[in-house]
Amino acid sequence: QKKEGFHLPYTKDTIAEALYLIAKNKFHYCSLLRLEATINRYTQTEYALNEIFIGHKKPYKMTRLVVTVHGKTHMIKSSGIVIGTPAGYRAWLKSMGGRKMPLHAQKYQYVIREPYEGRLHQHITRQETLNAHETISINSLTPEAIVVVDSLSKEYAFPLGSSIKIKATHHPLKYICPQK
């Protein structure tokens, strides 16, 4: 096995057991929350199973964003922001100090990456949890910012003046899981 990941639990040695459970009808369907992004009023067709990253296309440069969540607006200065699902907590969000959530929770969170704190700028919060029905809105104050879904998609341009709305999609990832 050459990839490491939470959603890659089976190896060539254990896949037979999973197939046996499916053949014996010893499974049920589970679903995982995914996120969708609307950039400048255009809803992207990719859904994030793990996270959505927003930041400067050169990671060593400062990203300035205006974030609105829970009816409050604040500016962030950092190396970017990661908005992630409970499944995403098991990867990037965990390494950033995100809050642990049950895998099937109907919540998601954001964490500010490497926030800049100085005399003129203090962050109100560095991370926050949202319920599945809530939306986070972000406006770019950075000319060369990007948006990337699950660290695998193409980079979407998110230049100065752009806006993005992120929320839980009505299209969760459905998968087969063993019977309890």
Side-chain angles (χ1 to χ4, degrees):
Q1 187 170 344
K2 295 184 180 186
K3 292 195 177 213
E4 180 177 336
F6 178 78
H7 300 291
L8 300 170
Y10 297 109
T11 66
K12 64 181 180 177
D13 299 325
T14 61
I15 192 71
E17 177 186 348
L19 294 173
Y20 173 80
L21 293 174
I22 291 169
K24 294 293 183 182
N25 204 28
K26 293 187 178 200
F27 65 88
H28 67 282
Y29 291 99
C30 296
S31 63
L32 297 175
L33 181 134
R34 294 192 294 176
L35 301 174
E36 71 178 35
T38 302
I39 303 173
N40 297 326
R41 292 183 277 185
Y42 176 72
T43 301
Q44 303 303 308
T45 56
E46 295 180 80
Y47 300 126
L49 176 60
N50 293 315
E51 74 276 317
I52 296 173
F53 166 74
I54 302 168
H56 198 288
K57 70 180 184 179
K58 294 182 179 178
Y60 54 86
K61 293 210 172 191
M62 182 72 65
T63 302
R64 290 175 177 81
L65 303 167
V66 176
V67 177
T68 303
V69 65
H70 296 137
K72 297 178 184 168
T73 299
H74 53 98
M75 188 176 106
I76 65 167
K77 292 170 74 173
S78 71
S79 64
I81 187 170
V82 176
I83 303 96
T85 66
Y89 164 75
R90 284 135 182 90
W92 200 358
L93 285 174
K94 184 176 184 179
S95 70
M96 294 172 58
R99 292 183 182 100
K100 185 174 183 175
M101 294 187 280
L103 184 60
H104 297 99
Q106 292 301 297
K107 296 179 180 234
Y108 64 103
Q109 64 182 302
Y110 75 85
V111 179
I112 299 172
R113 286 183 59 196
E114 304 163 333
Y116 171 79
E117 301 282 344
R119 287 182 301 110
L120 302 176
H121 185 82
Q122 297 291 314
H123 287 90
I124 296 169
T125 183
R126 292 179 183 218
Q127 64 188 67
E128 213 164 332
T129 301
L130 294 89
N131 291 315
H133 66 276
E134 296 178 301
T135 300
I136 181 170
S137 299
I138 302 172
N139 295 309
S140 177
L141 301 176
T142 302
E144 297 182 74
I146 58 169
V147 175
V148 181
V149 175
D150 283 341
S151 303
L152 299 171
S153 77
K154 73 176 195 167
E155 295 177 356
Y156 296 95
F158 192 61
L160 178 68
S162 294
S163 65
I164 187 170
K165 290 187 186 305
I166 298 170
K167 65 179 184 176
T169 181
H170 295 291
H171 305 284
L173 176 69
K174 294 184 179 184
Y175 67 101
I176 295 173
C177 45
Q179 292 280 9
K180 293 182 179 180

